[in-house]
Amino acid sequence: MIKTKLCDLIGIEYPIFQGGMAWTATGELAAAVSEAGGLGIIGAGQAPADWLRQEIHKIKKVTDKPYGVNVMLMSPFVEDVMQVIVEERVPVITTGAGNPGKYIPMLKEVGTKIIPVVASVALARRLEKAGVDALIAEGMESGGHIGEISTLPLVPQVVDAVSIPVIAAGGIYDGRGMVAALALGAEGVQMGTRFMCAEECTISPKVKEMILKAKDRDTVVTGRSTGHPVRCLGNKLTREFEQLEKEGTDPEVLEKMGAGKLRLAMVEGDTQNGSVMSGQIAGAVQKIEPAAGIIQDVMQGAERELARLSQRFGR
């Protein structure tokens, strides 16, 4: 069995994080992933604190295993969300869109592990100095808001720059991705897109169908002109967005145009006018299956791949 420092740090069986995707990673999905031995993560996004507390309670009814919450630090509810995390003694938080430094003392006081998502070496170094417990190095292959460096060059550079555990994210789907991440020096992986097609994921079936039909070149990146690029599956919204960007539309107008579009897709099922955030690996997702099945497939695939490599190159 593949065990890493990450398993010991968090108290999980398998070094697999489920991405904390807003309006996608609810208590139902996170509970299933945690119960199956990975780390299920609720995506707080821009949801209010009361919603988050409700989702946390869903997990606690299903499992007593570790779970996490992803906090979007630009959320208007971030202060209240952090208070709920402290009150509920959430075991792990992952963070994005900012620096969690000001919250570290209060989180450490209740034993919460802090694991920010980073897209550069500079930010990784800064956050290690701030006292975080580990880092998620996320390449631009991932869905949603992205950086400019892909997973393959990003992960080893972050690993070499810090002394805390690094989790690889972006473009990881199966056991081969797990082995590749370990070879780059990561202590585990985070996967988002494949878990969108878990049976326990509560997003609209229309979104799942769109992912299952996706091909390798079906994602696009919009929003570069706003300074906040986003990877989604191409649709009517992305085509309109791309056209407006070519015309030099004011970034503030574009930001307003994107507001609420993720929920429109994931919750309401509008896959043409909503934002279907998805990673480039969508083309590899072939079926809807239980979260536990996804985890077992990744781990068993990794074991097979290690055995194959050993047989091929072993001495």
Side-chain angles (χ1 to χ4, degrees), residues 73 78-79 82 86 93 99-108 114:
L73 294 166
V78 64
E79 299 294 335
M82 285 295 188
V86 169
I93 72 161
N99 188 329
K102 64 181 282 189
Y103 304 106
I104 289 177
M106 62 188 283
L107 293 167
K108 292 277 190 181
I114 305 138

Side-chain angles (χ1 to χ4, degrees), residues 190-294:
Q190 176 169 284
M191 296 165 32
T193 303
R194 188 171 181 185
F195 279 116
M196 291 173 70
C197 284
E199 288 180 359
E200 298 87 352
C201 184
T202 61
I203 58 172
S204 167
K206 294 180 181 178
V207 174
K208 294 185 181 185
E209 181 181 358
M210 193 173 182
I211 293 171
L212 294 177
K213 289 181 178 179
K215 300 295 187 293
D216 56 342
R217 298 177 62 188
D218 282 354
T219 67
V220 297
V221 178
T222 60
R224 291 190 189 279
S225 64
T226 70
H228 302 103
V230 176
R231 183 178 300 284
C232 305
L233 287 172
N235 62 4
K236 182 171 180 256
L237 175 66
T238 63
R239 290 190 292 273
E240 291 175 353
F241 213 98
E242 287 176 320
Q243 183 59 41
L244 290 173
E245 286 193 278
K246 288 178 183 176
E247 295 170 0
T249 303
D250 189 295
E252 288 190 11
V253 174
L254 293 172
E255 291 279 10
K256 289 180 181 177
M257 179 180 171
K261 295 299 192 295
L262 179 60
R263 189 183 191 282
L264 182 63
M266 301 302 171
V267 178
E268 298 180 31
D270 189 338
T271 56
Q272 283 305 309
N273 299 297
S275 181
V276 185
M277 294 185 183
S278 168
Q280 286 184 317
I281 203 67
V285 180
Q286 301 295 317
K287 62 182 178 180
I288 295 170
E289 58 190 322
I294 293 173

Side-chain angles (χ1 to χ4, degrees), residues 129-142:
K129 289 179 181 178
V132 303
D133 297 283
L135 295 163
I136 299 167
E138 185 175 73
M140 68 177 298
E141 296 94 326
S142 62

Side-chain angles (χ1 to χ4, degrees), residues 58-70:
K58 287 180 183 178
I59 293 180
K60 290 181 174 180
K61 288 179 181 178
V62 173
T63 183
D64 58 1
K65 295 182 179 180
Y67 66 93
V69 171
N70 176 262

Side-chain angles (χ1 to χ4, degrees), residues 68-145:
V69 171
N70 176 262
V71 181
M72 204 274 282
L73 294 166
M74 292 178 63
S75 165
F77 305 109
V78 64
E79 299 294 335
D80 292 337
V81 162
M82 285 295 188
Q83 191 57 45
V84 168
I85 287 168
V86 169
E87 291 172 3
E88 297 288 342
R89 295 181 174 267
V90 173
V92 180
I93 72 161
T94 62
T95 66
N99 188 329
K102 64 181 282 189
Y103 304 106
I104 289 177
M106 62 188 283
L107 293 167
K108 292 277 190 181
E109 193 172 331
V110 296
T112 299
K113 304 295 185 189
I114 305 138
I115 308 179
V117 176
V118 300
S120 71
V121 167
L123 181 57
R125 285 178 171 148
R126 189 157 68 247
L127 291 171
E128 182 183 32
K129 289 179 181 178
V132 303
D133 297 283
L135 295 163
I136 299 167
E138 185 175 73
M140 68 177 298
E141 296 94 326
S142 62
H145 294 276

